Structure formats: C-alpha cells, structure tokens
C-alpha cells in the first residue's frame, strides 16, 4: 500500500509571504528593543555610560544591570537544565563574549540601533576560559541531576573494559572530535509582547507554546493562565526554540515596564551567543571484536562542553549487541562560553559520527563489509532487556544496498577514479529513540460544515498542520478541505487542558495523532447524541442514528452535520480527548541506513557529495511529502556537520570569530544533490494507533559518518575531526595515511 501524500496546506501562505511570523507583527503603539552585547569573554562591568544614548532621538528607556527590568525568578525544571539560568541584566558579571549587557527601547528600530552604538561600556577584563582544547585536559564529572544523561553505563556492573578490549582478537581505539555548531534557523528569535492589565500576550516563535507560556510566567511572576503565547508559524528551530531565551523575556518585561507593546528581534550575530548552541565534544571509542566480527567490548568515553550532549548514553547503548559495555561522560565546567543547549538530535548526531566511524574502521581492520559487520551485531533489546516494538533495520540495509548499488563498492581505498577525482562509498546506521507524551486535542463540528482540530503544539516546519488535517479528515470521513487544523497557541485546545508536548524530540506526530483519533471518536458520539436529543433535529428520538462521512443517518434520513446544527440553532458540537498512556512493555526507536558516494579531488582535497540514499523504518508514514522533506532536511543537517559547519572560538578572547552567515558555512544548493529517500512503512501500533514514529531528527543521525566513511574509501585518509575539509585531507596525505596505526591484534 502506498503511503498517502499531500502538499503542505500552509505552503501557499509561506511562499507568498502571507504567513505571519513573530517579527511580522505590528501592534498599535509598538516600540522596538535592540540588544547590546559584551565585547569581552570574562570579567565585570565597571561602568556603563548611557547619557549620549538616552539623549538620542526616539529613545524611551535603556535597561542595564544598573537599571534592570523586573523578573521574579529564573527558569525552572527542564528549562533550567537546557537553557540559560542566569536572568538577563541580572548583574555586572560577564560570563561569555556576546552576553547581553543592555536593552535600548526606542520608537523605531533604527533609533534603537543607533542609540545602542552610543553606549560606552567599561570592563574589568579577566582571561577567559574559552578553549575547549585546553579545558578538556582537566574535565570533571557532570552535575548530579534527575536526568539519566551523564550517568556512567557499565554492563556488567563490574566490567573491566580495558581487559575486555585486550581480550578481543581485533581491537581499535580512536578519538573523534566534533566542534561547536549553531542552529542558524531562518527565522531569528523574535518576540512582540503586549500587556492588558496583568495579562500578557506574546507573539514568539517557539517549539512549545504551552511550555513557553509556563516558563515566561515563572520568570515574570504571574500565573501561567495570564500568559498567552501565539506562534502559528515558526521559521525553523532545531531545538533552539524549545526553551525560553532572553529576547522573549526582555520583550515581555520591557512591555510591562513601559506599558506599550515591545518588539525584540535578535540579530544574526547575536543568535550565536544569546540563544544557545551545540557544544564541542571529544569522544574516544574503543571496539573489540572476535575475528568473525562479533563485538566483545564497546568503550565510549566522552568529554563534552555540557552534559546536554551525552553522545555515548544517547547513541552507543542502543546500536549494537556486546557483552561488555562502558559509557562515561566528563564535562568541561565553568567555561566562558555561551550556554550549550539541545540541537537537532542532541547527543545522537555527534555520537553517531564517532560510533559509526569507529565501526567502519573496525570493518577495515577485519577485512569485512561494513554492512555485514553491523548485521552480525544486531541488537534485539534495549539495556533494560525490553524488546523493540518494531525493528526492520536489517531490511533497511538490504533495500538501501540494492537501491544505492553497494555491490559496486571497491573495499580498497583509491581504487575508483574519474579523471582527477577519487570516488568512494560509505554507509552508516541511524537510530533514534521514539516515544510520545500525553496531550489533549479538541474536535469541533461547526454549522458551516467545517470541523476544527485543535492542539497547542507547534509546526516548526515539520508539516504538523498538514498531518493534523489529514488525520482529522480520515477520522471524521471528511475531505481534508473541510478540516481546519489549529495549533501554535498556548490556549488551545479551545476549552482544553494545556498539556501539549510541543514539537520536541521527534515525538509530536506520535503524540498528537492518537489524541486526534480519540477526540474524533468522542466528538462523533456527542454529535449523534445531539441529533437524537436536540430540539429541531429531524432525528430527535430516532433509534440507530449513526455518523458516516459527515452525515447523520437513521430512519431513511441523511443530514449533513452542518445542516443539523443550523436546524437545532447550535453554534458547535465540541469534544476533547487525550491520548492513552504508552505501552511500557517494549522499547521504541526509529531506524535508517544511509549510503553515501563522494568525489574527492586528488590535487585540492575538495570533497563533493555525489549521491546519497537513505532507507527509513519509522513506522507508518502519514504523509510522504512532509516525511520525505523531514528526512532530506535531516540528512542535509548532518552532512553540513561533515562538509562545512564549525563554530570557531578565539581561545584568548572567547569571541566566536565566524558569527555570521558569510563565515559560518552552511550547505547551499551547489553543495548537495537530490537525496533518494525510501520508507519501509511498517506501522508500529504498539507505539500509537496511527502507527507513526518520529523522524524529524532521524535523518541527521549518522549522515556525517556516512560522508566521512565514503571519503576514507575514496582517499584512504581518515578524518576524525569534523568538518571534513581540504586542509585536513591534504595534511594527512602529506604526513602519511591516518590509518598507519593499524588495529592492534589480541590473542588468537
């Protein structure tokens, strides 16, 4: 059966400019805030001279640590773990280069920006601790939290991993480096805030309107019900808009102080520092195997800027079977760097690069096909011994190898050339935990023949709005055109329980769609009851009334629900339902197999992507158009890490030297090719009634490793520090192959 496909229902609005994003909002009497950021990486503010700025035209106020805005509390819960806990303008201490030191509010954005340039800040500077290379020499255990991230994993508990590695017939141990990365979504963090008495309405791009409202309420010292977040369109997020950051806090607090609507839009350079990023990590992988390729030991030790990125825990524990496993994390605490936060597939992306590169290196040492090595170490259960609900990873390998033409691969590096280009193939596995959370959906029948489906989640480009319409149409037996989906509003469902999960963790579709089915069933039952009991209903008192494709049918009569509501003078029939609890008897994950071909110029070291195939096992595919878009975008996200993305920090100053889109390189059309995406489409009905699992982050997992493995096959040079750039390939070729250090051989 071919999965359904439908273009995004909001596509025309987005491509014509009709979609209204947060920064597009213009309210009567609105004024503009401009952020001023620090020019040192560590120290304190001695003085802030704002006299000239205050005298500039149109300036209403300038907020600084000496004239701060009023906040009640810092962030709580998960936000305090994954976002910046220090409130903006809280004190004179400078913790990182680019920290907010002032907010200028003026009648126009130009006046605010010009006045900001007149502010003079005097600092007492201290040497910053900004070099990850230096900091990782003295790491520390991560802080104790309620989260599992950062906790060591040893299976069995008393395993001596070094002894297990030594006892292996073939073993390798390598270190892989991943630099900082930045979300760089198209839409910057923006907020327009307005107060009516003690109630706040804020237009702010967010992945979770309900969570955003709750976090702002905590910071501002009001009840969550007093904060209304509106975010119907989000121009990209990738984890960077999962929690609340300073621009929204400052807009809300300034609007309350000035009693006027305030707009704050972070500048592109400011997004590199004030709204979080992916921290650097250094991972040491040790693999020990028998001569037939079966793993005897896996060691994955990581040093990371933050325990938010725990590559071993998130990745290695769920990939391959082994009797001996040791995963540890150390962090580099108290660095003078912007806050590290979640970024698309946190931990999984970086961890998969290290693990899947190491597996490729082990395959080389064994003289074994990389697919065969992975199949021989197929994992059937998670660490707790729970079986996976639906796992077709081996089929992903088979189908992907056939579609890609893997049989034409030459195992020996540099064996295939095309003129000045060395051609190579590589592959990697992608695994991402799947799940869902409780949420509530409202389904409403209206007299105009339209049914609405409402939930407070977000569509950050995933296609959620379209999927809500499609599932609502299927559940109600209506054309999609007669379904009006609503999301991106913290007060949805209309009369609902604000428990929306939001678009986080590749779980939104699996979370929301079961609730749509349940709510539709409840709404239909309520509509039938209304048809039987309401005054003016032609079916009043009838037996055997049933709902079918938008009509109420009984006793030879068939009435559209819209007509029924008109006859009964009823404004709407509405019902809510929540999704049921997740079956805890199984483990859940989505899977993919990536296959990549590259061409590397033998003279310049330039590596070009030439082909990419990925085969995906992610449960039922509810809309192939948006699902393919998600996988393609995820693959490109991972390939960006392999080809070009890298945040560069000046160790002496803590300044991010490439905090702009000219120097921070992202893939453009010329860097990529059409990506072949194939879905297996096996519904996972244990996870949810719709059978769908998450895919938003799956594509990015393993993509960088597939690219790097293909580069090795093309050149014989192994790049273990991303990105794979010409200087690294040329330097390695000049000094001899990176794999000159052969795998160590254990006892026979």
């Amino acid at each position: 059966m071919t999965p359904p496909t439908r273009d995004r229902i909001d596509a025309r609005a987005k491509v014509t400019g009709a979609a209204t994003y947060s920064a597009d909002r213009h309210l009567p009497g609105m004024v503009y805030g401009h952020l001023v950021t620090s020019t040192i990486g560590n120290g304190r503010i001695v003085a802030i001279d704002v006299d000239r700025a205050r005298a500039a035209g149109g300036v209403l106020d300038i907020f600084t640590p000496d004239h701060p805005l009023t906040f009640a509390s810092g962030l709580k819960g998960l936000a305090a773990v994954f976002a910046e806990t220090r409130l903006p303008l809280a004190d004179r201490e400078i913790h990182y280069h680019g920290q907010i030191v002032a907010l200028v509010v003026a009648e126009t954005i130009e006046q605010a920006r010009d006045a900001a340039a007149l502010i003079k800040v005097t600092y007492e500077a201290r040497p910053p601790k900004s070099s990850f290379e230096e900091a990782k020499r003295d790491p520390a255990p991560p802080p104790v939290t309620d989260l599992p991230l950062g906790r060591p994993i040893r299976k069995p508990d008393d395993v001596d991993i070094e002894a297990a590695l030594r006892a292996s017939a073939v073993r390798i141990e390598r270190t892989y480096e991943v630099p900082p990365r930045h979300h760089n979504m198209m839409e910057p963090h923006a907020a327009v805030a307005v107060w009516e008495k003690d109630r706040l309405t804020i237009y702010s791009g967010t992945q979770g309107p309900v969570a955003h409202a709750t976090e702002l309420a905590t910071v501002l010292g009001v009840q969550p019900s007093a904060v209304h977040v509106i975010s119907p369109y989000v121009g990209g997020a990738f984890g960077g808009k999962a929690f609340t950051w300073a621009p929204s806090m400052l807009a809300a607090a300034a609007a309350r102080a000035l009693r006027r609507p305030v707009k704050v839009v972070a500048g592109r350079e400011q997004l590199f520092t004030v709204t979080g990023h992916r921290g650097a990590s250094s991972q040491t992988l040790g693999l020990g195997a028998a001569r037939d390729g079966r793993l005897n030991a896996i060691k994955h030790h990581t040093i990371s800027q933050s325990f938010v990125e725990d590559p071993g825990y998130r990745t290695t524990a769920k990939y391959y079977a082994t009797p001996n496993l040791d995963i540890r994390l150390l962090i580099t605490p108290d660095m003078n760097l912007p806050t590290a936060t979640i970024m698309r597939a946190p931990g999984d992306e970086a961890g998969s690069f290290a693990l899947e590169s190491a597996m490729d290196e082990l395959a080389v040492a064994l003289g074994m096909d990389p697919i065969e090595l992975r199949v021989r170490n197929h994992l059937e259960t998670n660490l707790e011994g729970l079986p996976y609900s639906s796992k077709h990873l081996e089929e992903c390998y088979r189908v992907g190898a056939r579609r890609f033409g893997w049989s034409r691969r030459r195992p020996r590096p540099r064996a295939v050339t095309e003129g000045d280009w060395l051609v190579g193939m590589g592959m990697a596995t992608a695994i991402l935990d799947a799940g869902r959370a409780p949420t509530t959906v409202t389904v409403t029948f209206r007299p105009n023949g339209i049914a609405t489906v409402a939930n407070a989640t977000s569509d950050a480009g995933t296609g959620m709005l379209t999927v809500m319409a499609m599932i609502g149409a299927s559940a109600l037996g209506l054309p999609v055109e007669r379904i009006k989906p609503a999301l991106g509003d913290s007060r949805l469902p209309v009369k609902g329980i604000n428990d929306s999960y939001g678009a986080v963790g590749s779980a939104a579709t699996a979370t929301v769609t079961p609730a749509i089915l349940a709510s539709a069933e409840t709404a239909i039952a309520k509509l039938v009851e209304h048809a039987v009991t309401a005054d003016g209903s032609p079916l009043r008192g009838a037996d055997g009334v049933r709902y079918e494709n938008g009509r109420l049918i009984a006793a030879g009569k068939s009435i559209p629900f819209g007509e029924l509501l008109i006859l009964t003078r009823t404004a709407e029939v509405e019902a809510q339902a929540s999704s049921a609890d997740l079956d805890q008897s199984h483990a859940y994950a989505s899977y993919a197999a990536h296959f990549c071909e590259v061409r590397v110029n033998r003279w310049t070291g330039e590596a070009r992507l030439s082909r990419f195939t990925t085969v995906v096992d992610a449960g039922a595919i509810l809309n192939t158009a948006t699902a393919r878009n998600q996988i393609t975008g995820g693959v490109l996200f991972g390939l960006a890490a392999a080809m070009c993305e890298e945040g560069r920090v000046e160790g002496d100053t803590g300044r991010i030297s490439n905090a702009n889109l000219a120097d921070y390189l992202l893939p453009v059309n010329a860097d990529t090719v059409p990506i072949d995406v194939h879905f297996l489409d096996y519904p996972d009905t244990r996870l949810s009634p719709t059978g769908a699992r998450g895919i938003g982050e799956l594509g990015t997992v393993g993509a960088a490793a597939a690219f790097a493995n293909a580069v090795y096959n093309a050149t014989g040079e192994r790049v273990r520090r991303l990105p794979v750039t010409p200087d690294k390939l040329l330097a390695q070729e000049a000094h001899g192959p990176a794999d000159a250090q052969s795998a160590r051989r254990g006892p026979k």
Side-chain angles (χ1 to χ4, degrees), residues 244-409:
T244 300
W245 296 90
S248 296
M249 297 182 196
L250 290 170
R256 180 165 61 179
L258 298 173
R259 299 183 181 180
R260 292 181 66 175
V262 173
K263 177 188 288 189
V264 175
V265 181
R268 180 60 59 179
E269 182 176 357
Q270 294 168 345
L271 292 176
F272 282 75
T273 63
V274 304
T275 57
H277 71 292
R278 167 168 283 151
S281 64
S282 175
Q283 306 169 63
T284 298
L285 258 293
L287 300 178
R291 297 191 184 280
D292 66 358
R294 298 185 189 278
L295 288 167
N296 177 57
I298 301 177
K299 165 188 171 181
H300 192 161
H301 291 182
T302 300
I303 300 173
S304 176
Q305 181 191 338
S306 167
F307 76 96
V308 171
E309 290 278 350
D310 188 344
Y313 184 91
R314 289 184 182 270
T315 307
T316 299
K318 61 197 174 198
Y319 267 63
Y320 303 113
T322 182
N324 299 292
L325 178 68
D326 189 294
I327 299 172
R328 303 181 194 179
L329 173 70
L330 296 174
I331 64 170
T332 54
D334 304 320
M335 293 193 72
N336 297 115
L337 291 173
T339 304
T341 190
I342 59 175
M343 186 172 174
R344 196 174 197 171
D348 290 282
E349 187 194 67
S352 64
F353 167 67
L355 176 62
E356 290 301 282
S357 294
M359 286 292 284
D360 200 69
E361 298 204 50
L362 181 61
V364 171
L366 289 163
M368 181 178 291
D369 184 272
I371 296 177
E372 179 62 25
L373 176 62
R374 287 162 172 81
V375 170
R376 291 194 181 186
N377 292 285
H378 186 74
L379 187 64
E380 296 289 347
T381 64
N382 71 358
L383 282 175
E384 287 70 42
L386 294 177
Y388 284 100
S389 59
S390 175
K391 184 173 183 178
H392 303 276
L393 179 57
E394 290 179 295
E395 186 175 348
C396 290
Y397 294 141
R398 292 196 303 272
V399 173
R402 184 176 65 251
R403 292 176 70 94
F404 183 74
W406 183 256
S407 61
R408 299 194 301 271
R409 174 182 177 269

Side-chain angles (χ1 to χ4, degrees), residues 644-694:
C644 53
E645 272 197 73
E646 179 181 14
R648 300 192 187 100
V649 180
E650 295 175 347
D652 293 340
T653 66
R655 172 178 170 267
I656 299 173
S657 63
N658 60 337
N660 57 75
L661 293 186
D663 299 314
Y664 185 92
L665 301 182
L666 294 165
V668 296
N669 288 346
D671 297 312
T672 188
V673 295
I675 294 172
D676 173 32
V677 178
H678 177 75
F679 296 105
L680 297 185
D681 196 37
Y682 292 115
D684 189 347
T685 52
R686 283 195 181 94
L687 180 66
S688 78
T690 58
R693 294 198 298 258

Side-chain angles (χ1 to χ4, degrees), residues 17 24 39 49 53 58 69 171 188 221 262 285 316 320 400 433 505 643 647 730 735:
D24 296 328
T39 57
D49 183 352
L69 288 159
R171 67 184 187 272
V262 173
L285 258 293
T316 299
Y320 303 113
D433 285 336
M643 295 191 293
L730 294 175
H735 293 91

Side-chain angles (χ1 to χ4, degrees), residues 79-99:
V81 176
F82 295 125
E84 187 165 356
T85 55
R86 177 184 175 275
L87 288 166
L89 308 180
D91 52 50
R92 290 186 167 211
E93 292 299 311
I94 300 299
H95 300 275
Y96 56 86
H97 197 290
Q99 176 182 311

